[in-house]
Structure formats: structure tokens, C-alpha cells
Amino acid sequence: MLSRLSQALSPISAVQRMKILEGSDADKQSWELKGTQSAAYAIKGRRMHMEDRFIINENINNSGISLFAIFDGHGGEFAANYAKEHLIQNLYNKIVELQAFKDGKIISTLIRDSPEEAKKEENHIPVERKSSFKKSVSTADDTSKKEITDPQLLAQLSKARPITREVRPTSTPIKNVAIPLSSYIDKGKINFGKLLTDEVLAADRLLVEAAKRSLNVAGTTALIAIMQDNYLIVANVGDSRGVMCDSRGNAIPVSFDHKPQQVREQKRIEAAGGYIAFNGVWRVAGILATSRAMGDYPLKDKKFVIADPDILTFNIDDHKPMFLVLASDGLWDTFSNEEAVKFIKERLDEPDFGAKSLTLQAYYRGSVDNITVLVINFLNNVISVSQ
């Protein structure tokens, strides 16, 4: 069984550890963050804007639960920022609540959209929430207040009449259904698969409504990993990817890309009345290169693109991994799973477990996208495995 992380990554220490290269906000080229067992490195690369975001939060509220995420935005930063700020904060809060409920520290209550709504429940006993958490783990400068649209993407959407009909905001804002805390407890343990699915879909519904109000067509992938004890749970929406290196050095995928040309995805898109077309790569309606994403409201309204995550659960004892790599597709455009694992395996002794070296190598190989690499290290007694 995995031991609890030896040291929590507090909001203050995380801010202190985040190292940003010199220059104005607009000129920033790279971002890095180092935890106890994990590290991330991200570069803007050859893109005009940085639309990747990443999250590291080890040992949430001293619970032994750790949360990691990669968001790869497209069409602007709005969706990736929304996911970073709202989805992750909600997950963080609800993990704290569920852990307290499981341990008998609070009675059963209903999970709602926000802490404020939850507190309205008659029998709710509030638990500690760290409002500063979201400030401690973002990839880049906070641009969540900006309403960014991609003119080229808007031009494409304006030509695609079947896609852009009926995309006005609904007259009544969407509210998520309240869910009892007890529904997330299965045999005394938190059902993280159900929690991740519910939270991703709830955040996507609210993101789409927010995007419609500002006519913002941005979207984002979502790759989220939760670790507790000897279990790793991974939720994936889109084409960011996770790969684990097992004890024998094998590359074990922990997520699978959602691409329009996959038989399952193509059938779903066509059943919804959509199509895929080749434009450099296969794209939904000739526009989007991933078939699942958060945001992308014109395509979401027609159900051509969905935000339903695939959930994979791994027993760490079965694989005894050396490390785990989570990365945006800026890496996977130039590295295969096996190449990335071999590269990191030779550099785990670096201060950031090889995250920076792998990111820069993807750039040198010609990646034209933003590149973010997050490495979780299972060696050097950072995590011990016991029976």
C-alpha cells in the first residue's frame, strides 16, 4: 500500500517553488513547479499564446490523496482557465468533504455547485477549504477574466451552418443536481471514478453556459489523475495523455486519446448528424482535432463533441511503477509512449525528474504546440509500497 506523501504541498510553498523565467507576463516562455514526488515543466513553444494549464496538489488536506491535471486549451485560454479554476477547486473541496464524511467527521449532506450552496443545507457542517489553492498551482499568469476568441476558428464556425444554429444562451442558467455524499462512498472508500465523471460533466455544463454568454468558442482537454493508497485513477477527455513506466521499464498507457477517426468516435459523431474531415489531421466537422473536450459550445450543442471522460483505474501493486508521465499533445506529437518512458527513465535523478529535459527535447524535435510535461516519481523512497 502506498504510504502518505511525506510532505504536503502547501499553497504558500507552491508559490515560492514556482519559478518563472524573466520577462513581462506577455513574454513568459516557461513555467515550472516542483513538489515532493512530482514536477512539471511547460513552455509556450512556437505558439503565440500559452493555452496549457497544469495542476499539482500532493496530499490534499493531509488526507494521503493527491491530485494532478493537465489542461490543453484551444481557440483561446478561456476554457482551460475555467477548468483550472472551477473544476479543480470543486474537486479539491469535495475530496476534503468526502474524506471527512468517510471518517465520520461530518454527516451526510448534498454536494452542490459551490461551497456557498452547500452551506445552505440544514445539517451541513463546513470543513476546511483552501481558497488560495487555485492560486498555487496554475501553469501561467491568471487570464481567467479575459474573454478570448480565435478569429480563424470563429470564421470557420460561421461557415458551418449546421453547427452554429441554436447556440444562444438558454434563458435559465443551468444548475447541477445536488448529489448525496453517501453516493460517492463504496465499501468504505471514495468512488473517485464516479466523482471525476460527475465533476467533469458538471463543470462542462457551466463552462458552456459561461462561454455562450461571451460567445467564446474555446475548449480544452482534461487529463486528471488521483492517487490514494495503492490506487491510481485517471480521467481523460481529449488527446492529452498519461503513460506509466512499470518496474520492468514497459510503457503502460493510463489514458487513450479521443480522436475523430477512431471507429467508436466516428460512429458517435455521425449518429449525432456530424461528420469528420481531413484537414492536415482528421477533425470533427473539419474543425476540431479531438472528438472530446470541455467547452467548444457550437460543437457541443450538436453533440458532435462531448465531455464524457474515460475512467481507468490501476492497482499500483500490480505494476510497481517507476514513474508516471502526464503531458499535453505538444509532447506526443514528437514522442511515442515508449520513447518518452525511455527518455525519462534515464533522467529521473534530475531535480525535476526529467520533466524539463523531455519538454525541451520535444521542442527541439519540432513540436509546434504548447508543451507541458508532468512527472510523478515513485522511486527514491518518495513513495513506499507495503503489503
Side-chain angles (χ1 to χ4, degrees), residues 153-161 164:
L153 184 55
L154 282 172
Q156 284 181 288
L157 290 172
S158 67
K159 296 175 184 177
R161 294 183 181 178
T164 55

Side-chain angles (χ1 to χ4, degrees), residues 10-229:
S10 69
I12 293 177
S13 63
V15 170
Q16 291 171 341
R17 294 177 193 184
M18 184 174 290
K19 181 180 178 183
I20 301 175
L21 296 186
E22 294 180 359
S24 66
D25 286 354
D27 294 332
K28 287 176 185 174
Q29 298 295 316
S30 71
W31 299 261
E32 58 185 300
L33 182 62
K34 179 72 164 62
T36 301
Q37 70 162 122
S38 60
Y41 195 85
I43 62 172
K44 184 166 66 174
R46 294 176 172 88
R47 286 292 178 91
M48 292 294 295
H49 304 286
M50 181 54 166
E51 296 174 342
D52 283 5
R53 298 291 184 267
F54 66 80
I55 296 293
I56 289 177
N57 197 256
E58 299 177 351
N59 198 14
I60 293 175
N61 211 44
N62 295 316
S63 65
I65 302 170
S66 296
L67 173 65
F68 309 91
I70 298 281
F71 301 108
D72 181 0
H74 49 263
E77 303 170 52
F78 179 80
N81 275 325
Y82 191 99
K84 177 199 72 178
E85 296 290 343
H86 299 282
L87 170 58
I88 293 300
Q89 186 69 63
N90 287 342
L91 274 172
Y92 179 94
N93 291 342
K94 289 169 186 178
I95 287 171
V96 172
E97 277 199 341
L98 284 166
Q99 189 69 14
F101 172 67
K102 183 175 69 70
D103 295 342
K105 295 178 181 178
I106 63 172
I107 61 176
S108 182
T109 185
L110 298 178
I111 288 181
R112 293 191 179 275
D113 293 347
S114 66
E116 290 73 19
E117 291 185 2
K119 288 178 182 178
K120 294 179 182 178
E121 290 299 320
E122 181 178 356
N123 295 321
H124 184 269
I125 301 175
V127 297
E128 178 186 3
R129 291 184 174 86
K130 298 182 181 179
S131 60
S132 58
F133 163 74
K134 61 187 178 184
K135 298 177 183 177
S136 69
V137 290
S138 61
T139 300
D141 48 306
D142 186 358
T143 54
S144 59
K145 299 291 191 297
K146 298 178 182 177
E147 296 180 356
I148 305 171
T149 57
D150 185 322
Q152 292 180 342
L153 184 55
L154 282 172
Q156 284 181 288
L157 290 172
S158 67
K159 296 175 184 177
R161 294 183 181 178
I163 300 172
T164 55
R165 292 187 197 131
E166 302 171 6
V167 293
R168 294 184 179 85
T170 56
S171 56
T172 304
I174 294 175
K175 288 193 175 182
N176 296 328
V177 178
I179 302 172
L181 283 172
S182 57
S183 70
Y184 293 106
I185 305 298
D186 183 14
K187 297 179 181 178
K189 296 183 177 181
I190 299 173
N191 185 336
F192 288 109
K194 175 177 170 55
L195 178 64
L196 284 164
T197 298
D198 287 352
E199 287 304 309
V200 168
L201 292 175
D204 182 62
R205 287 192 294 269
L206 296 174
L207 166 57
V208 166
E209 282 299 299
K212 286 180 181 180
R213 288 193 291 270
S214 59
L215 297 179
N216 194 305
V217 298
T220 184
T221 70
L223 179 64
I224 306 169
I226 290 178
M227 290 182 1
Q228 183 184 38
D229 297 332

